Amino acid sequence: MQAKDSNPPDGGYGWVVVVSAFMVMGLTAAVLKTFGLFFVEIQQHFDELASTTSWITSVTIAIFHLGAPVASSLCVRYTHRAVVITGGLLAFSGMALGFFGLNMLWMYATTGFLQGLGISFSWTPAISIVSHYFSKKRALANAIASAGECAFAFTFGPFFQWLISQYGWKGALLIIGGIQLNICVCGVLMRPLASSCLLEASHSETETPAGNGASRIDKEDKSPVTQKTFNWMLVRRPEFVLYAIFGILAAMSFFVPPLFLVPLSYSLGIDESWTASLLSILAMVDFAGRLLCGWYANLHVTKTVHLLTMTITLISTSLMLLPLANNYLSLAIFTGFYGFFFGTTVAVHITVLADVVGMPDFDSALGLFMLIRSTGGFVGPPLAGLIVDMAGDYRAGFYMAGATLVLSAGFLVALDQLQQRKEKGSQTNTKPEKSTLPYPSLHLLKLQ
C-alpha cells in the first residue's frame, strides 16, 4: 500500500504544481528572454561595445547554469519549495540593486550574478518537481510548465518597452524585481511529494520478495531524503556525456537570437513599437510550438530523441534564413519560424534527459546537465558579440548560432546510435538459451 504512494500521481495536485511551475518559468526565463529590450539602453548609457554589454546576459546565463547543481543538492537536502522561495528573493535582489546602475561591473554583479542565481534556484526545482509528479504524462506536463516562459514573454515584450519609456531602464528593473517576488508565492504551492523517489525504484520494489520488499519500503518511507543522493558519477556514462555536449553547443546558440533580434531590427530601420511586437510574435509561436510538441510527444508515436533531433535541425535552418530579412514583414515571418521550432525543442529536451538517465538520477542529471551546459551559455553571447563587432553586422550572430546548432544535432544522432546498440545488446543477452537435448522429457530428467 505504501509503495503505491511513491508512484507519480500523474494528475491531482500535480496540476497545481504545473501551474506554479508555469508561473515560475514566466517570471524567470521570460525575463531573461526579453532582456534584449534593455541591451541598447544599457549600451548607450555606459557607452560600451556590444561585446562588453552582452556580458551581462552572459553572466546571468552562466550563473543560471552553474547554480543548478547547487539548487539540485539543496532540493535533496531540504525541499523544492524552500529552494524556489529562496530563488524568488535572490531574483528580486538582483533587479532591485541593478536599479542603482553604478557601472558595468555593478550590472554584472546584480542583474548578472544575483539575477542568474535567483533564476537557477527557481527554475531548476520547479521543472524538477513537475517531472516527479508525472510519469505517463511527463512530456505534456513539462511542455505546459515550460510554456509559461513564452506566455509571459508575449506580454513582457510590449510591457517592458512601456516601462522603459515611462520610467527609464533603471526604474523598469526595479518594477520587474517587485513582480518577481511572486516566485515566492509559487514556491509555497509546490507541496513536496511524499517519498518522491522514483518510478523505476518503485517497480523494482514490487518485484522483490514480500519480506525484503516490505522492509525496503518501510525504510524508504521513514527516511525518503536518504534515498536521494546527488550522483556525480553520471559524468562517466557515455549517454549522459553525449547529451551534455549537445547541451553545451545548444546553449551557445539559444541565447543569441533573443539578444540580437532587437538590435537587428533597429539596424533595419524598424520602429521601436514594431520591434517590441517581434518579441510578442516570438513568444506566441513559441507557446504554440511547446504545446503542440508536448501533445505529440505524449502520444509516444516518435522516440523523443528522434523528435529532438528533428526540431534542432529545423531551428538551425530557420536561424540561417532569418538574416535574409530586409523589412519588418520578412523579419516577422522568419522570427515566427524560429520561435515555433525553438518551442518544440524546449518542450522535449528535459523529457529526453529523463529518458537518457532514468528518474532515479534525474535530479542529479538535471543539475549536472545545467552545470556543464553553462560553458555554452557563458561563451555563446560574447562570442556572437565579438563576431558582430568584427563583421559590423548583427546578422553574423545568427549565422554563428545556426551553424553551432547543426553541429549539436550530430551528437544527438551519436546518442541515438549508442542507445540502439545497447538495446540490441540487452535483447540479445535476455534471449533464452536453446536446449541442446533432443527431447523435452530428457530435459526435464536432467533438471531433476
Side-chain angles (χ1 to χ4, degrees), residues 195 197 217-228:
S195 286
C197 291
I217 295 168
D218 291 341
K219 182 181 178 182
E220 187 176 285
D221 284 339
K222 289 178 181 178
S223 183
V225 174
T226 58
Q227 302 301 313
K228 296 172 63 183

Side-chain angles (χ1 to χ4, degrees), residues 65 123 127 139 142 146 149 243 246-247 250 254 290 293 304-305 307-308 311-312 342-356 362 366 369-370 373 412:
H65 290 80
W123 187 94
I127 205 68
N142 278 326
S146 69
E149 174 185 337
Y243 197 69
F246 153 75
F254 283 166
R290 295 187 194 216
C293 191
T304 52
V305 69
L307 187 59
L308 181 60
T311 61
I312 286 292
F342 178 83
T344 59
T345 299
V346 175
V348 295
H349 83 287
I350 294 297
T351 304
V352 173
L353 177 62
D355 293 340
V356 168
F362 177 72
L366 182 59
F369 178 72
M370 296 295 290
R373 199 177 74 168
L412 288 178

